[in-house]
């Protein structure tokens, strides 16, 4: 396996990654992690070790980096001030930039492109809103499209065939 | 402790607080507030009659609140002097109608409710600061539930529970049901090595304390199962590793990993934890009947008061700063003041005794000689030129100068001066002369350096302790740095007067560098803060005059940083090359005009 010794610096440069190199592997993050309780694959301490060892391909290519639920328990308890939730965000951002993206997120973008929002607001919800004196929610595809365009997501995750049809 | 009480040459003042210390090495004047004990110390025989009748029951601080004491008490069995004292905050009152039972009972009639606080004043030659430390309070770490779960205790409480003189008479019981637990877990580094919610340093004593605790536990009750959760076991001292080995051989399990949180079973009151054994990459669940948090130590809360008494300074960890971390580890930066024990850093018993012996010897050396040799590099005050602006008194890190602007008086204790020269640099009226580092000496060094080809010279002001030594390290290591550097040594970067920098620029220096010890490592307590302030002011001034402020640099370089010195000099050389001859000539013109203006202003003032 090819190692990238600069990988830890790349992550340390990102917001929240500053203290990454201070980790002394006490394991309180893993012991606090609710995801680890249900999924053996996810281990914050191990992810940090992998980053520090420069296992870039393995980390960015893996399924587990998408599992963090951002509960901040690890960030709260880390004695060395490693903001692991933010480290995870940095890793995820880098993964997307390098073209590794989890199919679930690609699917979400697909839905966004189609409907302009992730959860469809149907007639039933809209009637409820009107009853509360709130305006109706329309399909706001154009607006979301613009955001996707500005964020440059179209270059990273190309449109699918069926995106264009709607 | 008893020996101290009995020693003919030691006067012990208990229940006392030092109110003020004035003077200097060999001549300290101390004012002590001795609080009333309400019991005549010399008469009391510690017969316990008064304690038996006292109706007030309050938590015992010495027993960590695990048992109770009376309002009249002895703090702990070995306390010196062995006499009772009344805790007046809790005593039912001096009014004999309200209570007065202890006074009635005392056969020797040594209880005196009318005793008053006293002020004691005396002179001493040297002072040893041995104010100790506090223990970290783990209540804010809510994941461990200390204070919520009764069976979670601190290592201090554990110590009391296992002690023969403790609240349970040495029977190890858990607080909820008062029976012997079958399993005990220890968590290390609670409040230590924790950047966010504790102390960033390693508390030094907790690993060995836990090892000792587990051995005691196994010794008393071999059937109790003990597990220790740690990050790193630091068994670094003489015989420590052996103790660690013995603990492991006794069956104590050491698991590398810190539990995420403690969860109490509401029925059994047992404690469950989830932990990752990081050496095996394996999640484990453990259940304990009792958990011990191995808490770290913190600086005492009342340290700022002691600090003010003796103008001491603190290291970033909050403990007192020694004069030199390696070569003067027991001396305070103020002469005649020494440290012993945890006031200076967390220490175990052996280290505390070692340091205390060293401090006693250091203090004794001064007293035996009866005289103190001072460095010849002190400052010299010319009261005729002084305008009583007080800036020197503010700048002096040792409070050697006191100025009263109203009465127009200035007093200076030369014995306190260490010769940093910050006062001399701050004084706008040339009223302070620094011996061996006079203005004339430094100015003539600048003149000589810049006499020829000034445009390819860089003037560097380096402080004696760090930057100049850093340059030495650089040379000693045969590291290459550009030949343009011209070093001028001062005792402290605080000595670098504004006028030296401007003079160097006026004489055609393309670059001027002021360098000193790293911000918190100043060898003159905090004199380099004044350097920073002054250089910041100078940057503004240069900008106002139309001179690029980038040409004046402020660098912190320590004695060990030879490589950094070489690198900094190379970087500066690059900057120097960008300064053109025209720019230098322009600067000379501006500053000469400025000097002329200043001279005229001075003349006007004189008239």
């Amino acid at each position: 396996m090819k190692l990238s010794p600069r990988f830890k610096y790349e992550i340390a440069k990102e917001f929240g990654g500053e203290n990454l190199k201070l980790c002394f592997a006490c394991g309180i993050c893993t012991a606090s992690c609710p995801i680890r309780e249900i999924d053996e694959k996810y281990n914050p301490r191990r992810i940090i070790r992998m980053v520090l060892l420069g296992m870039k391909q393995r980390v960015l290519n893996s399924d587990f980096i998408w599992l963090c639920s951002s509960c901040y328990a690890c960030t709260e308890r880390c004695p060395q001030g490693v903001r692991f939730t933010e480290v995870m965000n940095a890793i995820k951002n880098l993964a997307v930039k390098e073209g590794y993206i989890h199919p679930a997120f690609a699917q979400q973008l697909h839905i966004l492109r189609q409907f302009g929002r992730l959860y469809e607001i149907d007639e039933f919800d809209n009637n409820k809103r009107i009853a509360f004196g709130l305006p109706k929610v329309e399909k706001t595809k154009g607006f979301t499209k613009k955001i996707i365009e500005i964020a440059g997501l179209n270059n990273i995750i190309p449109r699918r065939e069926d995106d264009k049809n709607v | 402790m008893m020996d101290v009480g009995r020693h003919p040459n030691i006067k012990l003042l208990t229940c006392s607080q030092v109110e003020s210390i004035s003077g200097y090495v060999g001549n300290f004047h101390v004012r002590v507030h001795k609080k009333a004990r309400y019991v005549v110390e010399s008469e009391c025989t510690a017969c316990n009659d008064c304690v038996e009748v006292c109706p007030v029951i309050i938590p015992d601080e010495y027993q960590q609140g695990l048992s109770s004491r009376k309002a009249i008490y002895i703090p702990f069995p070995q306390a010196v002097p062995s006499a009772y004292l009344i805790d007046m905050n809790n005593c039912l009152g001096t009014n004999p109608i309200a209570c007065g039972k202890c006074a009635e009972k005392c056969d020797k009639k040594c209880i005196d409710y009318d005793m008053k606080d006293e002020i004691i004043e005396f002179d001493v030659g040297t002072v040893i600061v041995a104010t100790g430390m506090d223990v970290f309070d783990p209540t804010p770490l809510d994941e461990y539930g200390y204070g919520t779960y009764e069976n979670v205790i601190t290592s201090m409480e554990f110590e009391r529970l296992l002690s023969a003189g403790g609240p349970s008479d040495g029977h190890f019981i858990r607080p909820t049901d008062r029976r012997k637990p079958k399993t005990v877990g220890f968590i290390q580094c609670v409040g230590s090595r924790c950047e966010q919610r504790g102390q960033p340093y390693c508390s030094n004593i907790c690993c060995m304390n836990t090892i000792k605790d587990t051995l005691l536990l196994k010794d008393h009750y071999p059937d109790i199962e003990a597990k220790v959760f740690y990050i790193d076991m630091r068994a670094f001292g003489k015989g420590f590793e052996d103790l660690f080995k013995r603990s492991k051989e006794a069956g104590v399990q050491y698991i590398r990993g810190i539990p995420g949180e403690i969860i109490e079973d509401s029925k059994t009151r047992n404690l469950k934890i989830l932990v990752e054994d990081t050496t095996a990459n394996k999640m484990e669940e453990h259940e304990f009947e009792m958990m011990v948090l191995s808490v770290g130590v913190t600086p005492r809360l009342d340290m700022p008061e002691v600090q003010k008494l003796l103008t001491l300074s603190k290291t970033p960890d909050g403990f007192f700063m020694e004069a030199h971390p390696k070569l003067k580890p027991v001396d305070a930066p103020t002469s005649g003041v020494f440290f012993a024990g945890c006031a200076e850093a967390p220490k175990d018993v052996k280290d505390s005794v070692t340091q205390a012996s060293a401090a006693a010897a250091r203090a004794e050396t001064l007293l035996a000689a009866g005289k103190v040799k001072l460095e010849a590099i002190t400052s010299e005050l010319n009261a005729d030129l002084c305008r009583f602006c007080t800036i020197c008194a503010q700048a002096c890190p040792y409070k050697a100068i006191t100025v009263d602007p109203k009465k127009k008086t200035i007093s200076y204790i030369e014995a306190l001066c260490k010769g940093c020269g910050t006062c001399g640099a701050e004084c706008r009226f040339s009223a302070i002369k620094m011996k061996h580092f006079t203005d004339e000496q430094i100015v003539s060094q600048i003149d000589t350096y810049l006499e020829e080809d000034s445009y390819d010279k860089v003037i560097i002001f380096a402080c004696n302790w760090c930057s100049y030594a850093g340059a030495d390290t650089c040379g000693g290591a045969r590291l290459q740095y550009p030949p343009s550097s011209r070093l001028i040594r001062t005792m402290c970067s605080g000595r670098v007067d504004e006028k030296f920098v401007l003079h160097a620029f006026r004489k055609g220096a393309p670059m001027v560098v002021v360098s000193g010890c790293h911000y918190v490592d100043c060898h003159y307590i905090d004199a380099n803060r004044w350097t920073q302030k002054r250089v910041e002011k100078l940057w503004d001034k240069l900008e106002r005059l139309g001179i690029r402020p980038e040409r004046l640099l402020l660098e912190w370089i320590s004695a060990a940083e030879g490589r950094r010195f070489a690198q900094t000099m190379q970087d500066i050389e690059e900057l120097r090359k960008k300064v053109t001859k025209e720019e230098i000539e322009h600067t000379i013109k501006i500053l000469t005009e400025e000097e002329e203006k200043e001279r005229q202003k001075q003349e006007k003032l004189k008239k």
Side-chain angles (χ1 to χ4, degrees):
Chain A
M1 187 183 52
K2 215 180 126 212
L3 292 177
S4 325
R6 308 282 317 161
F7 186 38
K8 60 181 172 193
Y9 300 109
E10 279 176 57
I11 302 292
K13 237 176 24 202
E14 300 286 323
F15 171 76
E18 302 87 356
N19 292 341
L20 177 77
K21 285 177 280 171
L22 296 180
C23 171
F24 51 42
C26 68
I28 201 166
C29 44
T30 306
S32 309
C33 184
I35 306 292
R36 168 74 208 216
E37 273 181 61
I38 51 170
D39 193 337
E40 279 284 304
K41 266 192 295 188
Y42 189 72
N43 183 337
R45 181 192 59 81
R46 203 153 166 264
I47 295 171
I48 297 179
R49 282 298 110 183
M50 286 168 85
V51 171
L52 293 177
L53 290 171
M55 298 158 86
K56 188 171 176 177
Q57 300 284 324
R58 280 265 296 270
V59 172
L60 297 188
N61 209 359
S62 66
D63 288 349
F64 58 71
I65 57 169
W66 304 98
L67 292 176
C68 172
S69 70
S70 302
C71 71
Y72 284 91
C74 48
T75 308
E76 176 68 24
R77 289 172 190 168
C78 176
Q80 288 296 78
V82 178
R83 280 143 55 195
F84 187 71
T85 312
E86 268 128 37
V87 170
M88 269 336 280
N89 286 343
I91 293 174
K92 280 184 270 194
N93 282 338
L94 203 70
V96 172
K97 258 185 230 158
E98 308 250 323
Y100 303 99
I101 185 155
H102 198 268
F105 287 89
Q107 179 63 25
Q108 280 187 356
L109 190 72
H110 173 62
I111 296 168
L112 271 178
R113 276 177 183 145
Q114 275 183 311
F115 304 105
R117 55 179 66 245
L118 283 179
Y119 302 99
E120 199 184 346
I121 306 281
D122 54 15
E123 199 78 356
F124 177 74
D125 290 307
N126 265 333
N127 286 343
K128 259 209 258 180
R129 285 178 69 90
I130 292 161
F132 282 121
L134 294 166
K136 252 171 96 170
V137 175
E138 305 287 343
K139 278 191 180 178
T140 49
K141 224 169 76 181
F143 181 65
T144 318
K145 207 171 139 193
K146 227 177 177 176
I147 295 179
I148 295 173
E149 240 175 60
I150 294 168
L153 281 172
N154 288 338
N155 304 332
I156 300 162
I157 307 160
R159 284 163 169 278
R160 278 204 235 161
E161 279 297 306
D162 48 345
D163 283 349
K164 288 163 196 163
N165 300 341
V166 187
Chain B
M1 223 173 330
M2 285 297 193
D3 284 349
V4 172
R6 278 200 291 261
H7 200 285
N9 287 348
I10 298 176
K11 193 174 168 192
L12 193 65
L13 295 173
T14 52
C15 304
S16 305
Q17 191 169 5
V18 179
E19 268 196 346
S20 71
I21 300 178
S22 55
Y24 50 93
V25 53
N27 298 286
F28 288 111
H29 184 73
V30 188
R31 220 175 114 90
V32 175
H33 181 179
K34 191 174 193 304
K35 288 177 186 140
R37 193 180 189 98
Y38 305 101
V39 176
V40 181
E41 242 175 74
S42 50
E43 294 293 312
C44 178
T45 54
C47 66
N48 208 34
D49 284 352
C50 52
V51 176
E52 273 166 15
V53 293
C54 181
V56 183
I57 293 173
I58 38 180
D60 189 340
E61 299 88 355
Y62 176 66
Q63 304 285 13
Q64 304 293 312
L66 293 170
S67 69
S68 60
R69 64 163 170 87
K70 301 293 182 69
I72 184 160
Y73 71 114
I74 288 182
F76 54 99
Q78 297 84 8
V80 178
S82 187
Y84 290 96
L85 74 123
I86 299 180
D87 169 8
M88 266 304 159
N89 292 331
N90 290 303
C91 178
L92 286 181
T94 48
N95 185 351
I97 301 166
C99 182
K101 282 188 180 152
C102 51
E104 268 169 39
K105 190 78 185 173
C106 184
D107 283 340
K108 298 203 79 179
K109 300 283 166 237
C110 47
I111 294 171
D112 176 9
Y113 294 123
D114 299 327
M115 207 180 259
K116 291 272 173 318
D117 289 7
E118 279 176 85
I119 298 285
I120 305 172
E121 294 191 41
F122 50 87
D123 292 325
V124 294
T126 47
V127 178
I128 296 175
V129 180
T131 45
M133 45 74 172
D134 276 340
V135 178
F136 178 78
D137 173 19
T139 320
L141 305 175
D142 53 359
E143 66 264 33
Y144 296 141
Y146 177 75
T148 316
Y149 308 145
E150 271 182 76
N151 289 335
V152 178
I153 58 169
T154 65
S155 43
M156 289 294 280
E157 288 165 348
F158 177 88
E159 204 82 22
R160 294 320 308 151
L161 279 177
L162 215 61
S163 165
S168 54
D169 294 333
H171 296 290
F172 187 57
I173 50 172
R174 67 174 198 163
T176 45
D177 46 18
R178 286 166 179 68
R179 63 169 180 80
K180 194 185 85 183
K182 287 189 203 77
T183 46
V184 182
F186 293 80
I187 302 179
Q188 292 303 111
C189 292
V190 175
S192 308
R193 306 173 78 193
C194 186
E195 295 282 340
Q196 299 182 27
R197 296 174 304 157
Q199 305 294 344
Y201 50 80
C202 165
S203 285
N204 197 309
I205 56 164
C206 348
C207 279
M208 290 321 293
N209 186 54
T210 296
I211 291 171
K212 184 208 70 181
D213 283 350
T214 55
L215 274 171
L216 271 180
L217 193 68
K218 281 282 179 189
D219 201 30
H220 287 31
Y221 311 98
D223 55 322
I224 292 185
E225 196 185 323
K227 285 174 186 165
V228 180
F229 300 95
Y230 69 98
I231 305 172
D232 300 294
M233 286 312 277
R234 295 185 165 173
F236 56 91
K238 185 178 177 180
F240 287 6
E241 190 65 32
D242 184 46
L243 213 63
F244 184 29
K245 223 164 89 187
R246 264 171 55 200
S247 169
K248 282 192 274 191
E249 279 164 5
V252 180
Q253 216 182 319
Y254 286 83
I255 297 161
R256 195 191 178 284
I258 295 294
E261 69 186 310
I262 298 176
I263 297 161
E264 189 185 56
D265 186 316
S266 54
K267 268 189 201 149
T268 57
R269 308 297 288 272
N270 285 356
L271 305 155
K272 279 184 191 153
I273 57 156
L274 201 66
V275 66
E276 189 201 14
D277 183 346
T278 61
T279 49
N281 189 24
K282 201 170 80 198
M283 281 308 264
E284 288 174 4
E285 218 184 305
H286 295 272
E287 191 171 330
F288 295 104
E289 298 199 339
M290 209 166 160
M291 289 223 76
V292 183
L293 306 180
S294 184
V295 286
V297 299
T298 61
R300 274 187 70 96
L301 266 180
D302 56 4
M303 264 179 78
E305 285 155 41
V306 183
Q307 198 184 358
K308 264 183 237 156
L309 286 176
L310 287 158
T311 55
L312 300 170
S313 48
K314 286 197 246 177
T315 36
D317 56 9
F319 292 95
F320 285 130
M321 187 169 82
E322 57 285 67
H324 191 283
K326 283 166 242 159
L327 304 174
K328 282 186 173 178
V330 296
D331 297 38
T334 317
S335 335
V337 182
F338 305 94
F339 296 121
C342 292
E344 185 251 333
K347 277 185 200 72
D348 61 3
V349 176
K350 185 185 169 186
D351 284 358
S352 296
V353 171
T354 310
Q355 198 188 18
S357 313
R362 294 282 295 163
E364 203 60 35
T365 316
L366 284 178
L367 293 178
K371 276 184 200 164
V372 180
K373 266 191 198 165
L374 290 179
E375 293 273 357
I377 45 168
T378 53
S379 58
E380 208 176 304
L381 253 72
N382 186 344
D384 295 340
L385 291 173
C386 180
R387 306 266 181 92
F388 311 104
C389 69
T390 74
I391 190 89
C392 52
Q394 289 168 40
C396 180
Y398 303 94
K399 307 270 174 276
I401 310 174
T402 36
V403 182
D404 191 335
K406 278 180 193 158
K407 286 186 195 157
K408 293 207 183 292
T409 54
I410 183 161
S411 66
Y412 166 56
I413 301 166
E414 199 171 352
L416 285 177
C417 177
K418 297 264 181 184
C420 68
T422 311
C423 55
E426 284 299 323
C427 183
R428 293 283 120 242
F429 311 105
S430 311
I432 299 174
K433 190 175 131 188
M434 291 310 304
K435 287 184 212 156
H436 299 281
F437 288 90
T438 60
D439 289 6
E440 294 78 25
Q441 281 174 318
I442 292 171
V443 166
S444 71
Q445 282 185 69
I446 300 171
D447 286 346
T448 317
Y449 280 153
L450 299 174
E451 213 169 355
E452 279 173 22
D453 301 338
S454 71
Y455 47 83
D456 60 24
K457 310 268 167 61
V458 176
I459 294 289
I460 299 148
F461 293 100
C463 85
N464 180 60
W465 303 105
C466 284
S467 305
Y468 198 83
D472 262 354
T473 314
C474 174
R478 300 278 188 275
L479 296 168
Q480 296 297 314
Y481 64 94
S484 60
S485 322
R486 293 291 180 277
L487 273 106
I488 297 176
R489 183 172 70 104
T490 54
M491 285 314 283
C492 176
S493 60
R495 172 70 187 115
V496 183
D497 199 325
E498 191 183 302
K499 66 183 174 225
F500 301 157
V501 175
L502 294 177
H503 184 80
F505 279 131
R506 192 162 52 237
K507 287 287 168 181
M511 297 286 298
V512 176
V513 185
V514 179
S515 64
C517 310
H518 283 278
Y519 210 57
V520 290
D521 290 343
C522 184
H523 286 56
Y524 297 99
I525 304 180
D526 61 350
N528 62 357
R529 274 156 223 224
W530 288 84
T531 317
Q532 170 127 17
K533 265 194 222 167
R534 203 178 305 136
V535 171
E536 277 167 7
K537 257 192 265 169
L538 259 166
W539 279 328
D540 289 346
K541 187 169 183 174
L542 291 177
E543 196 155 24
R544 219 170 40 240
L545 290 171
I547 302 165
R548 274 197 302 136
E550 293 82 32
R551 288 171 58 195
L552 170 64
L553 289 174
L554 178 63
E555 293 288 342
W556 306 129
I557 300 168
S558 88
E561 292 175 331
R563 194 167 292 278
R564 186 182 146 107
F565 180 85
Q567 187 56 49
T568 312
M569 291 308 129
Q570 270 155 22
D571 295 347
I572 290 165
E573 179 66 4
E574 291 306 309
L575 292 169
R576 185 195 66 80
K577 280 180 190 156
K578 286 183 193 147
V579 185
T580 58
K581 279 188 189 175
E582 290 78 41
E583 192 179 349
I584 295 171
E585 267 157 32
H586 182 62
T587 310
I588 295 173
K589 206 178 127 215
I590 294 172
L591 287 173
T592 319
E593 279 168 18
E594 191 67 19
E595 192 194 20
E596 185 60 28
K597 264 190 228 164
E598 190 67 23
R599 205 176 54 81
Q600 283 171 3
K601 220 163 93 186
Q602 291 289 334
E603 264 175 28
K604 252 188 204 172
L605 269 173
K606 269 183 194 167
K607 275 174 195 171

